[in-house]
Amino acid sequence: MADTPTLLTGETKAGDWRNYERVILPPIKDLHKIEVYEDHGGYDALRAVVKDGKFDPKGLTDEVKASGLRGRGGAGFSTGLKWSFMPPVDPEKPRYLCCNGDESEPGTFKDRQIFEYNPHLMIEGIVLACYAMTIKTCYLYIRGEYIDYVHHVQKAVDEAYAKGYVGKNVLGTDFSTDIVVHWGAGAYICGEETSLMNSLEGKRAYPRIKPPFPAQAGCWGMPTTINNVETLADVPLIVNRGAEWFASIGPEKHTGPVLYGISGHVNRPGVYEYPTGMLITDLLEIAGGARGGKRIKAVVPGGSSTPPLTWDMAEPATMDAETLREAGSSMGTAGLCFLDEDTDMVSFTRRIAHFYHHESCGQCTPCRDGTGWLEKLLTRIDEGEGYTRDLGLLLELCDQMEGRTVCALADAAAWPVRWGIRRFRDEFEAKCKAAAFAGASLGDGSALETGELTPTGTPTT
Amino acid sequence: MTPNSFISPQPAYVPGEPVERHVADEELVWTEDEQQQIAAFRAQYPTHDGAVMKGLWLAQDKFGWLPPEVIQFVAETLEIPYAKVYGVATFYTQYFKEQKGQFVLDVCTCFSCQVCGGYDILHYLEDQLGITKGETTDGGLFTIQEAECLGACGSAPMLQVTNGPYVHNLTTEKVDALLADLRAGNMPGFQSVTLPQDEDELGGNRRSDTDAVTTYQTPPVSETLH
Ligand SMILES: Cc1cc2nc3c(=O)[nH]c(=O)nc-3n(C[C@H](O)[C@H](O)[C@H](O)COP(=O)(O)O)c2cc1C
Ligand code: SF4
Ligand code: FES
């Protein structure tokens, strides 16, 4: 609407971020050790809530709701609200929490740092979440490739058990909860919430049709809540410092500290902790600027499934859900990939399409076949064998994939292609052959080869 | 194309002749310690099926890969149908349904690694070992595979050795050193990747029990490749 003020102001919404004090990964040596963690106020939040009654379960859920915490796993849903969807306790029915550490979205590598550097924060968050929803078992799902990190986390969990923070009668109260560490075996789709549940149950990791939502029927058909690792790691911070403190960080509608995973053509890639609402340009500056003094051409702001932004679009944008939506992308997992002027957007998009084709679970035809066609068409364009008409075909294919499948993987595959073509059309066209379709006259009396099949199966003559 | 994990390898089967076996019946036994682990896994889930992934991992660690008789063995141990276990084993890429080299080099060429020279590393490795991705060297020492994002995009390009340690910030020199180490039978150890903010605030690695690499000290592998 014309009279809505724009969020793309080009000004930071992260406040005084240059003096920001890290809280998820504070600068403390050996924080992964339980003694060090305890020395720095670790498990105080748990003690205050479970033992000293700072909050009852409902109070804790309300506090998390008030903090404005939104899921860090990609969808950005309000965490407190999600918790409140759990049905009332039924003693006949076990309830589960899943902590989603599958982290397979290309460009995302933040949860790994929590496993490695501050696992107890996550564990404390898990136990608090279990308390808030009266859950007795949490499955912590870590991707199989992170096997070394699984060992780090298992060690931390064992330490927490030994000290009575997890297990039977947490801190001597009558509240008990268990944490089971589970690891995958290499499948991106296990990050999708219902697929993760099937994987846990020992089935093939096919996503399920929703509804029913996990809160009604999740793991083993029981009420289940699923949260990302970073989301749960924020919970002890909220308890310790209060919802108000959390809500005061970053823009009003998307609050709190975030781990930004910065990769691509920058001098200092890595995970950075800052408030939400950071300007993309500031993040580039922090990451040491573009490698080799090059110009940045494009940014993927939140993992491979978020639409790429041209640099012009990215310059006024900040890293929060609302602003990025207006800018034409989304926050995703806050894994930014900067691409410099030499990047070939066609091969880049082709490689993303290959990823989704490889990772499609194969349940739904639009996804299983669609991702394959995306890859085939992009490959042929990339190899100089495509026609300008193929771009239209690709966009049509995206229309046929989005919103027509069991899970969002098909959408995630279509977006980078759709928006890649829309925003970098020149580059795509430059790689396409001149004729509109095979067999068309090239004007000089010659015709291109004929007889090749298009994805619709019609010969192109 | 990467070897397709969804297509299940069939044991060579000629009607009337016995199916090719890779593991003898006498070898298909769990040790006392492994039995305890399996019992512990089972206790962690409300159904037997839940333990299937951990069971398959245990079997793969023991036998190196998962031929049908090993899958059958896991199925019998957990008292669940073979078809179910087989379905799980074939769903995931990290379960080896065919025999691989002693060291499987999973080179990430996805997304950030692609634009930071992942393919350069892959092709360099292929040249050095004289095989292409998906293949195993003659002596059965190395297999090269093209991997999807392994969650270490900040230290791209990178690879993983046999579902185990990550090797970050690859250069051709690092690849040479890695191959030499592996030939000598030395697996790389675990390495932390320092956080750039820790460099400024903590002076480097925050863990005193691990070696660390700094992501941005490595020059790009190739200035030209994107
Ligand atoms: C294809 C697909 C892959 C996903 N992968 C992940 C993942 O690796 N890690 C994650 O935390 N969430 C992932 N999600 C999002 C989860 O489904 C879920 O929304 C999230 O774990 C909820 O946690 P949150 O509310 O704390 O963000 C994925 C979603 C889809 C559709
Ligand atoms: S959209 Fe794709 S990944 Fe998701 S359930 Fe359907 S086929 Fe599987
Ligand atoms: S893109 Fe290679 S590790 Fe993520």
Side-chain angles (χ1 to χ4, degrees):
Chain A
M1 274 179 288
D3 53 352
T4 329
T6 175
L7 292 164
L8 298 167
T9 53
E11 272 170 44
T12 185
K13 299 184 181 74
D16 183 19
W17 60 268
R18 279 181 205 276
N19 292 314
Y20 174 75
E21 256 188 76
R22 292 188 283 160
V23 285
I24 303 177
L25 297 171
I28 298 165
K29 228 175 160 66
D30 287 329
L31 192 57
H32 64 281
K33 295 185 177 156
I34 197 162
E35 310 83 49
V36 180
Y37 183 70
E38 284 172 322
D39 284 348
H40 289 86
Y43 291 109
D44 281 358
L46 185 67
R47 192 170 285 111
V49 171
V50 176
K51 201 162 186 196
D52 305 337
K54 185 169 178 181
F55 297 109
D56 63 358
K58 168 137 192 340
L60 181 53
T61 307
D62 288 341
E63 186 77 0
V64 171
K65 218 185 270 182
S67 73
L69 171 62
R70 293 169 69 164
R72 304 292 195 236
F77 192 77
S78 159
T79 304
L81 197 58
K82 192 188 265 189
W83 291 6
S84 69
F85 291 157
M86 284 295 269
V89 181
D90 172 353
E92 299 283 296
K93 277 189 171 185
R95 301 144 74 86
Y96 300 105
L97 176 72
C98 294
C99 179
N100 190 343
D102 191 59
E103 187 158 81
S104 312
E105 173 98 350
T108 311
F109 50 107
K110 64 190 174 71
D111 296 341
R112 204 183 92 225
Q113 315 292 343
I114 297 180
F115 298 146
E116 185 178 355
Y117 294 133
N118 202 356
H120 287 291
L121 186 67
M122 168 189 73
I123 294 169
E124 193 177 0
I126 288 174
V127 182
L128 284 167
C130 287
Y131 176 80
M133 293 174 277
T134 326
I135 290 171
K136 291 203 168 62
T137 314
C138 168
Y139 289 100
L140 169 51
Y141 194 110
I142 303 179
R143 67 180 294 187
E145 289 87 345
Y146 281 180
I147 191 69
D148 283 343
Y149 303 89
V150 170
H151 296 316
H152 289 311
V153 171
Q154 185 65 59
K155 184 155 174 267
V157 170
D158 293 345
E159 284 173 345
Y161 263 101
K163 294 242 180 173
Y165 296 122
V166 190
K168 215 165 162 45
N169 302 102
V170 172
L171 292 166
T173 63
D174 53 13
F175 171 68
S176 304
T177 197
D178 281 308
I179 298 179
V180 176
V181 182
H182 183 98
W183 57 99
Y188 165 69
I189 194 61
C190 292
E192 202 280 337
E193 48 194 24
T194 51
S195 158
L196 185 148
M197 291 166 194
N198 275 342
S199 179
L200 273 179
E201 291 178 23
K203 300 181 180 147
R204 264 176 271 186
Y206 286 148
R208 304 172 183 167
I209 293 176
K210 288 176 272 184
F213 290 95
Q216 280 91 48
C219 291
W220 292 281
M222 298 299 161
T224 305
T225 293
I226 178 161
N227 279 122
N228 174 256
V229 169
E230 188 188 343
T231 313
L232 290 171
D234 282 333
V235 175
L237 305 172
I238 294 171
V239 170
N240 277 333
R241 298 170 187 234
E244 241 168 77
W245 162 82
F246 196 89
S248 72
I249 300 174
E252 202 183 322
K253 289 195 174 156
H254 198 161
T255 58
V258 174
L259 298 180
Y260 294 101
I262 302 182
S263 64
H265 299 140
V266 294
N267 283 316
R268 276 164 55 115
V271 169
Y272 292 82
E273 182 186 331
Y274 280 108
T276 52
M278 289 285 284
L279 270 175
I280 292 178
T281 49
D282 284 340
L283 288 171
L284 177 60
E285 182 204 311
I286 295 160
R291 219 168 60 175
K294 297 257 168 74
R295 195 178 55 83
I296 294 293
K297 168 167 88 177
V299 186
V300 182
S304 62
S305 58
T306 56
L309 296 169
T310 64
W311 188 239
D312 287 346
M313 297 166 91
E315 264 187 320
T318 52
M319 291 296 292
D320 57 277
E322 275 66 34
T323 312
L324 279 173
R325 191 177 314 135
E326 196 186 323
S329 191
S330 74
M331 179 85 169
T333 56
L336 297 98
C337 185
F338 288 92
L339 304 171
D340 74 16
E341 51 192 325
D342 297 338
T343 314
D344 180 342
M345 291 307 286
V346 183
S347 344
F348 184 67
T349 313
R350 165 192 173 176
R351 188 63 184 79
I352 296 178
H354 172 78
F355 172 80
Y356 287 106
H357 183 204
H358 186 262
E359 299 298 338
S360 166
C361 83
Q363 270 193 117
C364 328
T365 311
C367 173
R368 181 189 59 236
D369 288 8
T371 49
W373 283 119
L374 287 181
E375 191 192 350
K376 274 203 182 110
L377 280 167
L378 284 164
T379 303
R380 116 169 163 185
I381 295 174
D382 192 28
E383 287 171 351
E385 298 297 324
Y387 305 98
T388 320
R389 190 190 68 148
D390 290 346
L391 298 179
L393 203 53
L394 277 167
L395 293 176
E396 231 172 85
L397 199 52
C398 293
D399 288 341
Q400 298 300 329
M401 290 170 68
E402 286 170 25
R404 290 168 197 264
T405 52
V406 172
C407 87
L409 186 135
D411 306 67
W415 287 331
V417 176
R418 172 190 297 285
W419 298 104
I421 294 177
R422 288 258 184 102
R423 290 172 185 165
F424 300 92
R425 189 156 185 124
D426 296 352
E427 283 190 43
F428 282 83
E429 282 183 353
K431 278 207 163 181
C432 290
K433 289 194 195 172
F437 56 89
S441 164
L442 284 176
D444 57 359
S446 66
L448 287 171
E449 290 162 49
T450 57
E452 199 177 347
L453 287 179
T454 66
T456 49
T458 338
T460 57
T461 41
Chain B
M1 295 291 293
T2 46
N4 193 332
S5 58
F6 299 112
I7 296 175
S8 39
Q10 296 296 326
Y13 177 67
V14 184
E17 286 186 22
V19 176
E20 189 191 348
R21 296 268 313 225
H22 303 271
V23 182
D25 273 339
E26 313 76 86
E27 291 174 69
L28 291 173
V29 279
W30 299 111
T31 63
E32 194 101 343
D33 182 46
E34 286 160 350
Q35 281 172 1
Q36 276 173 13
Q37 285 189 53
I38 291 169
F41 294 157
R42 280 180 152 182
Q44 291 176 329
Y45 304 88
T47 61
H48 288 176
D49 299 24
V52 70
M53 291 191 76
K54 287 178 180 173
L56 284 170
W57 270 121
L58 196 66
Q60 178 156 311
D61 289 344
K62 187 180 169 83
F63 300 104
W65 64 299
L66 299 172
E69 57 271 25
V70 171
I71 296 179
Q72 174 72 34
F73 177 49
V74 173
E76 279 164 14
T77 311
L78 296 173
E79 298 160 60
I80 41 183
Y82 172 80
K84 267 192 162 178
V85 185
Y86 184 76
V88 172
T90 50
F91 190 87
Y92 300 92
T93 47
Q94 284 190 295
Y95 293 133
F96 298 154
K97 277 79 62 182
E98 60 224 73
Q99 215 155 3
K100 309 256 173 179
Q102 188 186 345
F103 301 110
V104 181
L105 305 174
D106 271 309
V107 187
C108 178
T109 58
C110 197
F111 205 65
S112 313
C113 287
Q114 179 198 10
V115 298
C116 292
Y119 279 103
D120 286 2
I121 294 298
L122 179 68
H123 298 323
Y124 183 75
L125 258 174
E126 289 175 338
D127 287 348
Q128 292 302 303
L129 298 177
I131 50 174
T132 50
K133 65 182 180 193
E135 293 178 347
T136 303
T137 51
D138 277 346
L141 198 56
F142 296 106
T143 301
I144 307 178
Q145 300 188 146
E146 182 178 358
E148 302 302 330
C149 178
L150 293 166
C153 326
S155 41
M158 54 79 64
L159 63 72
Q160 180 173 30
V161 186
T162 326
N163 293 335
Y166 282 9
V167 189
H168 302 273
N169 293 326
L170 292 171
T171 57
T172 50
E173 293 79 35
K174 265 200 175 172
V175 171
D176 290 340
L178 174 69
L179 290 180
D181 273 353
L182 293 177
R183 284 199 172 102
N186 301 325
M187 274 291 257
F190 175 81
Q191 274 192 321
S192 289
V193 178
T194 58
L195 299 170
Q197 279 167 303
D198 282 347
E199 299 283 313
D200 306 334
E201 294 172 35
L202 267 178
N205 187 19
R206 60 164 62 214
R207 284 184 70 126
S208 53
D209 58 349
T210 57
D211 290 337
V213 287
T214 306
T215 56
Y216 46 86
Q217 278 174 348
T218 319
V221 182
S222 137
E223 290 289 348
T224 49
L225 189 121
H226 281 286

